Amino acid sequence: MRGGWLVAVLAVAAGAVALAYGAGVDGTRPLLLAIAPVVPVAGVALSYGRHADPLYELVASTPSGGLRLLLTRTAAVLAVSLPLLTLTGLLLPAPGTPNAAAWLLPGLALTLTALALAGYVGLRAATAVTGGGWLTAVLVPALTGPGGTPPAGLTTPAETLAGTLAEPLAARLAEQLSRCLDGPLAQSAWAAAAVLSAALLAVRRSAYDRAYDRLEQR
């Protein structure tokens, strides 16, 4: 696994804590929950391919360079990102937002979906489509919703404008995340997506044999 990716995950976690407690930014947990499901997806893309393997030519010529290696890298990415970002979420104040573990099934489902889609369009395109689709689903409704009134205590025009934009945005993001993550129905849907993606991977496993270079470049 690339050291740069691990540093990036640690930076996301540390940045969220710093924003919440150092800068006093409200709504840090909703922002983390919006980003967290795409972190393992991006990690898989960055940990697989010629850019991540000094022994690329050797690995590409072996049967293990396909699905087996892809799943090994994916497991390593999940083993780091899932507990680290969930623990970070637990440390953040977030009244009225989904719990810190609510992103785990969506994160797993999106990662498996990207792996399944990679067999058709390549890993980079699959992770871009999967991660971009999630971010669009949660961020666009929050960004395009109606504005609100600024919280009390803001004196300068800049503070008033920032408060007017930030507080309703955080609330809308939390509301959208609740739709996507909260409740048995949403979690069951994510579980079903994970199972279906895993089943597709199993059915098409032969398509990944000796497909190291093809998965990366397609």
Side-chain angles (χ1 to χ4, degrees), residues 96-98 172-183 186:
T97 61
R172 292 195 302 268
L173 181 57
E175 183 179 355
Q176 182 65 11
L177 285 168
S178 293
R179 295 191 189 101
C180 295
L181 302 179
D182 263 352

Side-chain angles (χ1 to χ4, degrees), residues 40-55:
V41 174
V44 170
L46 291 174
S47 64
Y48 185 88
R50 69 173 70 237
H51 58 281
D53 287 304
L55 300 178

Side-chain angles (χ1 to χ4, degrees), residues 121-217:
V121 300
L123 187 59
R124 292 183 181 180
T127 53
V129 169
T130 306
W134 164 260
L135 291 175
T136 299
V138 296
L139 294 180
V140 169
L143 292 171
T144 58
T149 57
L154 303 182
T155 57
T156 68
E159 288 178 335
T160 300
L161 177 61
T164 301
L165 295 176
E167 189 166 280
L169 177 59
R172 292 195 302 268
L173 181 57
E175 183 179 355
Q176 182 65 11
L177 285 168
S178 293
R179 295 191 189 101
C180 295
L181 302 179
D182 263 352
L185 182 60
Q187 290 292 312
S188 296
W190 287 114
V195 170
L196 288 174
S197 296
L200 182 59
L201 274 173
V203 169
R204 299 193 71 251
R205 61 186 179 275
S206 60
Y208 295 81
D209 291 343
R210 298 186 181 274
Y212 189 89
D213 192 58
R214 181 165 51 86
L215 280 174
E216 182 195 6
Q217 295 180 357

Side-chain angles (χ1 to χ4, degrees), residues 1 5-6 47 70-82:
M1 187 186 303
W5 177 83
L6 179 58
S47 64
L70 185 58
L71 292 178
T72 300
R73 298 286 172 83
T74 300
V77 167
L78 292 173
V80 173
S81 59
L82 295 188

